[in-house]
């Protein structure tokens, strides 16, 4: 009788212990990744001060800067992996990286409170959970952490880069974004002055507007090369000079005004935030999203 009772106790204890052991085995890698990530530090630079924090906090605060109400957890996870990968890519030696080298928007907790008001805790917890659930994961290709290019909106297709993981893919969701088309206008004189300040040797054919000739576009429609009067330039160079949202543009003139019709916002390379948001909202998981916008990659804890 005593033996039967003892066996019963042992059986019950084993039943209770098995789920715990399984959980520990499944979560062990993630806990280790989170511990390793908390040991890596980021120097945050402000106008009059600097702050040192860990990578988990940095990723959370950076994802928060790009957060939009209604963002799904899978989108937040995908973007968290992108931000973490960028920090790991920029870091050269040791465990510290400077936010000045990252050049991404980052919010302080006070910024979040001011921005979200009584939604602060709800939004912050949602973002932090996404960061924790991808703890340590980075995008790699051929065993190396990649430069995880991303942009806000593209022209309906991402751009092919020289890197093996940057392949042009369709992103039709971007066509529905409010930032898909932007019109940027310049006065003829204003444009001429900006171009002359950029290059004093420029000679206009007839007018500043008539001097733009597109020489080459890539498969996604972005301007690779153009002539501005007698000067050869890249599309990205001119878009930066004139404050255009992207280098996918056309030039026209009307009533003394020069009009740049611009598609998309950002470089057009890599992950599209607009496309990733839409794909996540339709049920696509974060790993699937990352593997859609980056090809030939592996997601690894680094």
């Amino acid at each position: 009788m005593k033996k039967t009772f003892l066996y019963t106790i042992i059986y019950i204890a084993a039943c209770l212990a098995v789920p715990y052991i399984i959980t520990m085995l499944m979560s062990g890698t993630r806990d280790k990744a989170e511990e390793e990530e908390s040991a890596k530090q980021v120097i945050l630079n402000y106008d009059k001060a600097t702050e040192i924090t860990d990578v988990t906090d940095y990723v959370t605060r950076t994802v928060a800067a790009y957060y939009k109400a209604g963002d799904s957890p899978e989108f937040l996870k995908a973007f968290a992996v992108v931000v973490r990968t960028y920090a790991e890519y920029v870091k050269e030696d040791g465990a510290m990286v400077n936010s000045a080298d990252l050049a991404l928007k980052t919010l302080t907790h006070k910024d979040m409170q001011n921005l979200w008001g009584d939604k602060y805790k709800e939004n912050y917890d949602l973002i932090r959970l996404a960061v924790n659930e991808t703890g340590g994961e980075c995008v790699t290709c051929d065993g190396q952490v990649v430069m995880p290019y991303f942009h806000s909106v593209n022209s309906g297709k991402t751009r092919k880069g020289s890197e093996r993981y940057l392949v042009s893919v369709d992103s039709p969701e971007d066509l529905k974004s409010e930032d898909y088309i932007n019109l940027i206008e310049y006065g003829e004189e204003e444009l001429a002055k900006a171009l002359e300040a950029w290059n004093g040797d420029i000679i206009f054919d007839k007018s500043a507007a008539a001097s733009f000739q597109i020489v080459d576009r890539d498969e996604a429609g972005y301007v690779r090369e153009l002539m501005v009067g007698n000067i050869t330039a890249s599309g990205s160079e001119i878009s930066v000079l004139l404050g255009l949202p992207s280098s996918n543009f056309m030039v026209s003139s009307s009533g003394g005004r020069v009009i740049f019709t611009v598609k998309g916002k950002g470089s057009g390379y890599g992950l599209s935030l607009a496309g990733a948001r839409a794909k996540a909202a339709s049920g696509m998981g974060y790993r699937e999203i990352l593997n859609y916008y980056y090809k030939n990659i592996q997601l690894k804890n680094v």
Side-chain angles (χ1 to χ4, degrees), residues 184-251:
I184 308 297
E185 293 189 20
Y186 275 86
E188 184 75 43
E189 262 186 55
E190 180 188 14
L191 179 61
K193 285 181 180 178
L195 294 171
E196 287 167 348
W198 163 63
N199 192 316
D201 296 326
I202 195 168
I203 299 172
F204 300 121
D205 298 330
K206 295 179 181 179
S207 66
S211 297
F212 283 83
Q213 297 179 52
I214 307 298
V215 176
D216 186 34
R217 293 181 184 271
D218 66 15
E219 67 285 336
Y222 291 79
V223 176
R224 282 194 180 117
E225 185 181 346
L226 72 160
M227 293 292 295
V228 185
N230 60 320
I231 305 297
T232 301
S234 68
S236 58
E237 187 177 7
I238 295 301
S239 65
V240 170
L241 172 70
L242 300 179
L244 308 182
S246 87
S247 59
N248 190 330
F249 58 83
M250 295 182 293
V251 191

Side-chain angles (χ1 to χ4, degrees), residues 41-44 50-54 57 61 96:
Q41 295 182 321
V42 179
I43 303 172
L44 297 174
T50 60
E51 176 187 355
I52 295 178
T53 187
D54 60 46
D57 184 54
R61 289 159 63 169
M96 187 170 286

Side-chain angles (χ1 to χ4, degrees), residues 29-31 33-34 37 56 59-60 72-74 76-78 80-81 84 125-137 286-287 301:
T29 302
R30 177 70 65 218
D31 291 343
E34 289 174 1
E37 188 163 277
T56 298
V59 174
T60 303
S72 85
E74 294 304 304
L76 297 174
K77 290 177 190 177
V81 173
R84 182 185 296 109
D125 287 348
L126 179 67
I127 295 166
R128 185 57 179 247
L129 180 62
V131 174
N132 288 343
E133 289 186 343
T134 61
E137 277 188 293
Y286 79 96
R287 290 189 177 95
N301 288 344

